[in-house]
Amino acid sequence: CEVRPGPEFLTRSYLFYANRLFKAYQFYYWDPSCRDPSYSLVIKGKLRLRQASWITRGATEADYHLHKVGIVFHSQKAMREVASWINQTSGEGCIGFLPPGRTWAPGALYELLSAKTERDCTAALGFAMHELSLVRVEQHYQPLLQPQQSGSRLVEELYLGDIHTEWVERLHYRPTGYQRPMQSAVHHMHPCPACGIIYRADEHHPPILPVRAQLPMQLSGSWVSTHCEVRPAVLFLTRYFIFHGHNHTWEGFYYHYSDPLCKQPTFTIYASGRYSQGIPSSKVRGGTELAFKVTQARVTPMDQVTVMMLNSSEPGSCGLTSSWAAGVEQDITPTNGCLALGIKLPHTEYELFKTEQDTKDRSLLYVGERPTDGSSPNSPDKRPTSYQAPLIQCAGAPEEFSNYVSLKYLGKKDANGNEALKPLPVAFLLFIALLFLRCD
């Protein structure tokens, strides 16, 4: 069950044909478990792949053209709500799309968009298919889990463009990052109880996902990225967090790269501070609202481009003036952050968290999605309403991982002659973390 900014809860099923035509289903729900369907969209059109993206490395740019978009309501309430949106915000061609008092007809398909008649009433739903303008397909092999089996199976994933976190920006935003990947109906991760249910669904029979236990928010412990993450504005990174529940303090490592495989490091940020007691979110059911205060930060440039940028920054705005060197960490707390990297200290971020268990009973942590415009959720009204890719919990208490943190560094003298910290390659970092994962 996907959560989009708003929030919106949905599942998706897309079918692409050899002749470039596609048929896409988007199923919308009232609830974050995707068990109470509201309405379904069936979208038909044509997709043409173009060239490798100049902006987002590893992606392919594409053009698409919509032929038809139809909607099926799954309750009178859904029909009444959507009709109200359309009648209030659409142009003349959509007035009377659904006359007031129209009785819900189960299974009836209403046309929202038609290329032939040039009618388009989709804007009121915040609907756009700009996600199709940025495409990436990844293949990897997953080890077979059963003891009696050996070898691996192919897994294929489709990454489509991200959805803008601001509703009003959706209709014209061209993605530079990705949503969470869709699984191939043939080559998907096992086990995947939802895959078959969504694959067999259509606009008249929306998928009802299996019941999942609601987990209490248990932040304590260590959490790590499962893959190289891509954010809008061409950011590639991995994350590693440690939460100390006994005193509500946290530490975070953000490893930034210049490539979509996270093999070419550019800089690392270490940040720490305190976090508040969580309260259930009234806006995003299933989520927990917290406030995070960032009080300290350190930066390690990992390539010469970043070193040059930091050394040419305004004096007093980012660590010791003209003292940056590759692989040498500096504390940026005394300069109240680092203007060149957009880090301001101290500051507070208003966050949304959620914990779940995957099909292998491993704990996942979802942290609020960052604003697409690159700003910070530094006020309650900017609190996220959707999530980033999940982090997976490393087994063991934070104390056990103090040794793991120290493994990431080799002693090296900083600009003041003190013992500094030098990060080891992230491949090694993730390898060590994976040793502690609770795997089957």
Side-chain angles (χ1 to χ4, degrees):
C1 189
E2 301 179 58
V3 183
R4 282 186 174 179
E8 288 181 330
F9 309 112
L10 76 157
T11 57
R12 297 176 293 155
S13 176
Y14 293 3
L15 180 60
F16 297 93
Y17 300 95
N19 60 359
R20 298 181 181 173
L21 295 176
F22 70 86
K23 183 178 183 180
Y25 292 113
Q26 294 184 354
F27 307 101
Y28 290 81
Y29 302 81
W30 298 108
D31 67 302
S33 301
C34 289
R35 293 186 51 79
D36 185 9
S38 170
Y39 63 86
S40 298
L41 299 180
V42 55
I43 305 138
K44 296 180 180 180
K46 195 165 190 174
L47 181 73
R48 182 174 69 90
L49 298 179
R50 294 171 55 205
Q51 71 277 341
S53 173
W54 287 81
I55 300 174
T56 306
R57 289 179 60 185
T60 298
E61 293 180 356
D63 291 328
Y64 72 92
H65 180 68
L66 297 182
H67 297 159
K68 286 186 177 182
V69 178
I71 187 169
V72 174
F73 302 103
H74 303 303
S75 67
Q76 180 74 38
K77 176 186 174 186
M79 183 178 188
R80 190 166 54 244
E81 188 167 286
V82 171
S84 172
W85 296 341
I86 293 175
N87 291 336
Q88 286 176 19
T89 61
S90 298
E92 287 185 10
C94 298
I95 293 176
F97 167 74
L98 286 171
R102 172 78 68 89
T103 303
W104 169 54
L109 178 69
Y110 301 92
E111 196 172 76
L112 283 171
L113 179 149
S114 170
K116 283 187 178 180
T117 62
E118 298 184 352
R119 185 189 202 188
D120 185 357
C121 304
T122 60
L125 279 70
F127 170 84
M129 286 298 285
H130 298 328
E131 61 192 273
L132 293 177
S133 63
L134 198 70
V135 180
R136 178 183 173 94
V137 174
E138 287 191 5
Q139 292 182 334
H140 61 272
Y141 287 87
Q142 180 190 39
L144 298 175
L145 299 177
Q146 286 72 17
Q148 69 274 18
Q149 293 179 312
S150 61
S152 58
R153 66 161 55 88
L154 176 67
V155 172
E156 198 168 52
E157 296 178 320
L158 172 64
Y159 288 81
L160 296 177
D162 62 302
I163 307 298
H164 203 288
T165 52
E166 290 293 331
W167 180 279
V168 294
E169 300 292 334
R170 278 191 190 186
L171 301 183
H172 53 80
Y173 170 67
R174 293 292 169 168
T176 54
Y178 303 117
Q179 300 174 66
R180 289 188 64 197
M182 302 177 76
Q183 301 286 314
S184 164
V186 178
H187 305 294
H188 59 264
M189 292 183 181
H190 288 265
C192 180
C195 293
I197 297 172
I198 298 171
Y199 174 69
R200 291 188 293 269
D202 61 33
E203 67 269 35
H204 304 294
H205 308 91
I208 309 297
L209 298 192
V211 176
R212 302 186 69 172
Q214 287 286 329
L215 296 179
M217 177 58 65
Q218 296 287 352
L219 271 186
S220 292
S222 303
W223 307 80
V224 68
S225 296
T226 60
H227 62 277
C228 187
E229 300 173 8
V230 183
R231 287 185 184 170
V234 202
L235 289 177
F236 308 105
L237 76 159
T238 57
R239 296 171 292 153
Y240 171 62
F241 290 129
I242 309 165
F243 296 99
H244 306 275
H246 64 285
N247 61 2
H248 279 221
T249 60
W250 69 278
E251 302 171 79
F253 297 84
Y254 305 82
Y255 300 89
H256 290 257
Y257 303 83
S258 61
D259 69 296
L261 297 178
C262 287
K263 290 181 178 293
Q264 300 166 15
T266 53
F267 63 93
T268 297
I269 299 173
Y270 166 82
S272 63
R274 303 185 63 82
Y275 62 94
S276 67
Q277 184 75 35
I279 60 171
S281 172
S282 58
K283 196 168 186 179
V284 186
R285 277 193 290 160
T288 299
E289 295 181 352
L290 301 102
F292 278 76
K293 187 157 189 178
V294 188
T295 55
Q296 292 183 310
R298 303 194 293 262
V299 172
T300 309
M302 300 298 290
D303 66 353
Q304 287 303 319
V305 173
T306 307
V307 169
M308 289 174 62
M309 178 188 71
L310 295 177
N311 278 332
S312 61
S313 60
E314 184 180 337
S317 69
C318 187
L320 295 175
T321 305
S322 302
S323 63
W324 294 93
V328 180
E329 183 181 68
Q330 265 206 58
D331 189 352
I332 59 171
T333 310
T335 53
N336 297 320
C338 179
L339 190 61
L341 296 177
I343 302 171
K344 183 180 179 181
L345 294 175
H347 80 275
T348 301
E349 296 195 343
Y350 295 84
E351 270 296 358
L352 180 73
F353 276 41
K354 176 178 71 169
T355 51
E356 283 184 358
Q357 280 192 321
D358 66 9
T359 52
K360 300 171 190 173
D361 293 328
R362 296 177 299 192
S363 295
L364 303 177
L365 174 65
Y366 292 82
V367 181
E369 189 172 0
R370 307 296 296 180
T372 305
D373 63 7
S375 63
S376 168
N378 54 10
S379 61
D381 62 296
K382 294 183 71 175
R383 191 187 302 273
T385 55
S386 57
Y387 302 99
Q388 300 176 52
L391 305 168
I392 194 165
Q393 187 173 39
C394 309
E399 290 70 23
E400 298 176 41
F401 277 80
S402 60
N403 294 328
Y404 159 52
V405 174
S406 66
L407 278 174
K408 291 186 301 189
Y409 300 101
L410 296 174
K412 185 170 181 177
K413 301 294 183 181
D414 64 13
N416 295 323
N418 300 319
E419 196 75 10
L421 301 178
K422 179 180 179 182
L424 292 175
V426 77
F428 178 74
L429 162 71
L430 291 179
F431 170 74
I432 295 295
L434 289 170
L435 292 178
F436 294 92
L437 290 182
R438 296 187 302 206
C439 296
D440 290 342

